[in-house]
Amino acid sequence: MADITETIQTEKSRTAFSVQAGFLLAGLLLLLLAPFFFYPIFLMKLLCFALFACAFNLLLGYTGLLSFGHATFFGGAAYFTAYTVKTWGLPPELGILIGVAGAAFLGLVMGFFAIRRQGIYFAMITLALSQMFFFFCLQAEFTEGEDGIQSVPRGHLFGFIDLNSSTNMYYFVLAVFLVGILIIWRFINSPFGMILKSIRENEQRAISLGYSVARYKLGAFVMSAALAGLAGAVKSIVFQFATLTDVAWQMSGEVILMTLLGGIGTLIGPLFGAGLVVVLENYLATSEFPVTIITGIVFMVCVLIFRRGIIGEFYASRLGRKLGFVYRR
C-alpha cells in the first residue's frame, strides 16, 4: 500500500513538473516573440517594472518587511547610471553596474537604520529616509533638479551591439530581466532564503535557534535594493532619462500595489501585477477618466475578491494545486 501511494505521489510530482515546465517554456517563447507583435518600448517598460516588483517582493513576500522607500533604489540607480553614461561617457553595461552598486550601497545604509525596528516603524523609517533622498536629488547639481538627466545615450553594448535599435535594446532588457528573475529564484530557494522565510513566519523562533536575524534582514534588504536598482538602471537606458518621478514616494506606492495585486510570496505574482498596472497606465493614458481611479478600483476589487492576490488565489485554488503550484504565504 505504501509503495502504491509513493508511486502515485511520484506521478503527481512528475505531472506537476511537466505542467510548470510547459508554462515556463510558453512564457519564454511569448517573450521572445513579443516585439514582433507589440510596441517594444511598452514591453521594455513592463519588464523593468516587473523586475522592480519582484525585487520588492523579495523583501515583503519572503522576509515580511514592508518598505515604503524602494523608490530610492530604483530612482537612485537610474540617476547614477544616467549620469555616468551621459557625463562620463561610460558604456551602458558599466553604467548599469555602477547604478546597481549605488543602489546596493543605499540599501546598506537605509537597511542599517531601518531593520532596528519592526512593523509600521520599519515602514515609516524607510519612507522618511526615502524622502530625504528625494530632496537630495531635488537639490543636487548632478541630478539637474526638476528637469532631470535627459538625452542619455544608449550607446553600444560591449562595444559592438547598437542599443539604439529597439530590437537590440529589447532583447538586452529581456536578458537582464531573466538574469534578475533567476537570481531571485536561486536566492529564495537557497538556505539563506529558507532562513528568511522562517524569520517571516516566527522571528522569535529563529532567534532562539541561534540565527543572527538582523544580519539576514540586512542581507535581504541589500539584495532587494540591488535588484530594484538593476531595474531602475536599465529603465534609464531604455527611456534615456532619469527624473524625480523615479525617486518620489508614489513610485514606492506603485510597486507595493503591483506586488499586492499579483500576490506576495509568489515568484510570478509581482510579474502579473506589474503587467496589469503598466497595461492600465498605458492604454488609459489618453482617456479622460483618471488612471489612478481605475487602478484604485482594480486594487479594491482584488483586495475584496482575491485576498492572496490574483496569482496567490490561483495557486491556492483546486486547479492550482492539481497543477502542482503551492501557496505558502
Side-chain angles (χ1 to χ4, degrees), residues 191-240:
F192 191 96
M194 296 299 110
I195 295 172
L196 292 181
K197 294 173 187 177
S198 68
I199 293 173
R200 179 194 66 192
E201 297 300 329
N202 193 329
E203 183 173 335
Q204 295 304 317
R205 179 69 180 274
I207 293 174
S208 68
L209 292 174
Y211 293 112
S212 178
V213 170
R215 290 184 180 180
Y216 282 100
K217 283 184 177 181
L218 183 59
F221 200 97
V222 173
M223 176 61 74
S224 178
L227 290 168
L230 177 62
V234 173
K235 178 258 177 191
S236 69
I237 298 294
V238 170
F239 291 97
Q240 299 181 273

Side-chain angles (χ1 to χ4, degrees), residues 8 57 67 98 105 126 132 136 183 200 250:
I8 293 174
N57 184 53
S67 168
I98 290 175
F105 175 75
T126 58
M132 290 174 60
F136 166 77
I183 291 173
R200 179 194 66 192
Q250 290 91 340

Side-chain angles (χ1 to χ4, degrees), residues 263-317:
I264 62 175
T266 63
L267 185 60
I268 67 171
L271 305 180
F272 188 88
L276 180 60
V277 172
V278 171
V279 167
L280 285 175
E281 290 179 348
N282 185 74
Y283 287 99
L284 296 177
T286 58
S287 172
E288 296 181 359
F289 203 74
V291 178
T292 52
I293 295 180
I294 295 291
T295 54
I297 293 173
V298 171
F299 179 66
M300 289 174 57
V301 170
C302 288
V303 168
L304 293 174
I305 300 177
F306 306 106
R307 304 299 295 270
R308 303 179 180 92
I310 297 173
I311 300 300
E313 288 292 344
F314 172 71
Y315 279 8
S317 67

Side-chain angles (χ1 to χ4, degrees), residues 75 78-88 133-153 240-245 247:
Y79 271 120
F80 298 148
T81 299
Y83 181 80
T84 54
V85 170
K86 180 180 179 180
T87 306
W88 294 355
F133 186 76
F134 172 83
F135 286 111
F136 166 77
C137 292
L138 179 63
Q139 300 294 331
E141 184 177 350
F142 83 96
T143 62
E144 301 184 22
E146 295 182 355
D147 293 331
I149 303 176
Q150 302 182 23
S151 301
V152 178
Q240 299 181 273
F241 61 78
T243 66
L244 290 173
T245 303
V247 293

